[in-house]
Amino acid sequence: MNERPNLNQAGFGNLAPAPKGLLARGDTSGRIRVVGRSVSVFYGEKQALIDVNIDILDKSVTAFIGPSGCGKSTFLRCLNRMNDFIDAARVTGSVEIDGVNIYDPEIDPVQLRARVGMVFQKPNPFPKSIYDNVAYGPRIHGLARTKSDMDEIVITSLEKAGLYKEVKDRILEAGTGLSGGQQQRLCIARAIAVNPEVILMDEPCSALDPIATARIEELIDELRQNFCIVIVTHSMQQAARVSQRTAFFHLGTLVEEGETSEIFTNPRQSRTQDYITGRFG
Ligand SMILES: Nc1ncnc2c1ncn2[C@@H]1O[C@H](COP(=O)(O)OP(=O)(O)O)[C@@H](O)[C@H]1O
Ligand SMILES: [Mg+2]
């Protein structure tokens, strides 16, 4: 992993080939899992997201790219109703997951957020042991009947997050004592522990060094076998490395969405072309 250059520093338009081990591009055979229709978001009077329409495929990684402030995080939060927590925010339109509108009054947002997990920019483990960080969600949702059921969930989740081997001898120690990259993998294990279908990641590597970043990118590539993953990234190189689909946002609109290779080599919109060639940022 050490020989891997820090591609975040590479110039725009200078996209690296997929690192060894990552699957081929263009494998987008998954079915549609998330459907956004005419999604707009207002913060008070100000409209931050304008009429977004998108189909997001299962078992693949979709990257949201675009300049700062263009609405990437705002739209990501629409997908698990995190905007509910922002008093000024008002969402219109619909988001369906497996055909169910998540804004339907019948939907319990707490259950929803177990199905649609989120990983944030800054790793945010709870001030609890590694074990209890992962067990937290399953406990709340009553997923384990016995201690050994819970042990199983915790171990499996840590394994899926590629962390188990590193922490198995200190699983009762504080999660906050881990390195930044390990903490982020712990947060991924915590999200996985409640059996989500969709995992949202908002710039999950931007607080990490290049080696920890590479580790998370490899993990994302493994996880996509089983999950629908949406990642916001300010790094086009990262989008090119980890995603199969890319959505380019600009000034609150979704300019275009398509296969990552197409978006980066042959975009349909001139605004996308301008952005990926570094003409504005
Ligand atoms: N909690 C908030 N209250 C008011 N305005 C917000 C809030 N969050 C984001 N915005 C505004 O919405 C726009 C989109 O922001 P955001 O979704 O964070 O963009 P991005 O993630 O692409 O950088 C920006 O103009 C930002 O200032
Ligand atoms: Mg953001």
Side-chain angles (χ1 to χ4, degrees):
M1 233 184 305
N2 288 342
E3 76 275 15
R4 201 136 165 242
N6 180 1
L7 297 168
N8 291 319
Q9 307 295 319
F12 291 158
N14 177 19
L15 297 176
K20 238 170 47 192
L22 294 198
L23 296 176
R25 298 283 168 258
D27 175 21
T28 58
S29 54
R31 66 191 175 90
I32 294 168
R33 186 118 224 195
V34 182
V35 176
R37 285 294 174 264
S38 300
V39 181
S40 291
V41 177
F42 301 81
Y43 294 111
E45 300 283 283
K46 186 176 170 263
Q47 186 166 4
L49 202 71
I50 306 159
D51 201 29
V52 170
N53 292 286
I54 192 170
D55 292 353
I56 299 175
L57 294 178
D58 195 21
K59 297 197 181 358
S60 56
V61 179
T62 298
F64 290 177
I65 63 166
S68 183
C70 66
K72 303 180 296 296
S73 298
T74 295
F75 185 58
L76 197 73
R77 287 196 296 264
C78 290
L79 305 182
N80 71 346
R81 291 186 48 178
M82 290 282 286
N83 286 319
D84 288 10
F85 295 117
I86 302 173
D87 285 338
R90 182 167 62 86
V91 178
T92 63
S94 71
V95 175
E96 290 188 355
I97 297 181
D98 296 339
V100 175
N101 184 1
I102 65 169
Y103 286 88
D104 189 292
E106 306 270 289
I107 295 288
D108 172 0
V110 176
Q111 294 290 342
L112 171 70
R113 290 184 202 110
R115 291 180 52 206
V116 187
M118 185 129 177
V119 176
F120 298 89
Q121 185 165 348
K122 201 167 166 293
N124 59 348
F126 303 133
K128 293 172 180 290
S129 68
I130 294 166
Y131 185 101
D132 284 336
N133 263 277
V134 183
Y136 183 84
R139 251 178 219 137
I140 287 182
H141 293 281
L143 300 185
R145 263 187 288 152
T146 63
K147 170 81 169 73
S148 74
D149 281 358
M150 187 62 90
D151 291 352
E152 174 76 26
I153 292 175
V154 169
I155 291 169
T156 312
S157 305
L158 287 168
E159 278 171 349
K160 285 186 192 157
L163 189 60
Y164 184 63
K165 277 195 201 133
E166 287 162 61
V167 301
K168 65 179 181 350
D169 298 326
R170 48 171 168 153
I171 206 158
L172 297 178
E173 291 173 24
T176 47
L178 297 171
S179 73
Q182 289 173 326
Q183 287 187 23
Q184 197 60 304
R185 279 181 278 142
L186 178 60
C187 293
I188 292 170
R190 187 174 67 189
I192 289 173
V194 289
N195 289 323
E197 288 131 41
V198 182
I199 303 176
L200 311 175
M201 301 188 179
D202 196 345
E203 305 200 17
C205 302
S206 61
L208 305 181
D209 66 45
I211 291 171
T213 295
R215 187 71 193 81
I216 299 276
E217 289 183 1
E218 281 162 20
L219 175 60
I220 290 170
D221 196 60
E222 284 160 25
L223 293 174
R224 80 174 166 95
Q225 317 293 335
N226 294 307
F227 299 98
C228 168
I229 298 178
V230 185
I231 177 174
V232 170
T233 174
H234 63 256
S235 159
M236 283 186 270
Q237 287 71 32
Q238 180 166 73
R241 286 194 299 265
V242 302
S243 74
Q244 289 72 52
R245 311 279 304 181
T246 293
F248 169 58
F249 289 80
H250 186 226
L251 300 174
T253 63
L254 172 56
V255 176
E256 71 176 293
E257 189 272 343
E259 263 190 47
T260 296
S261 55
E262 285 287 307
I263 296 287
F264 283 107
T265 57
N266 193 18
R268 295 182 298 274
Q269 303 293 328
S270 57
R271 265 198 291 173
T272 314
Q273 179 72 23
D274 288 349
Y275 183 67
I276 62 167
T277 55
R279 244 166 276 169
F280 67 89

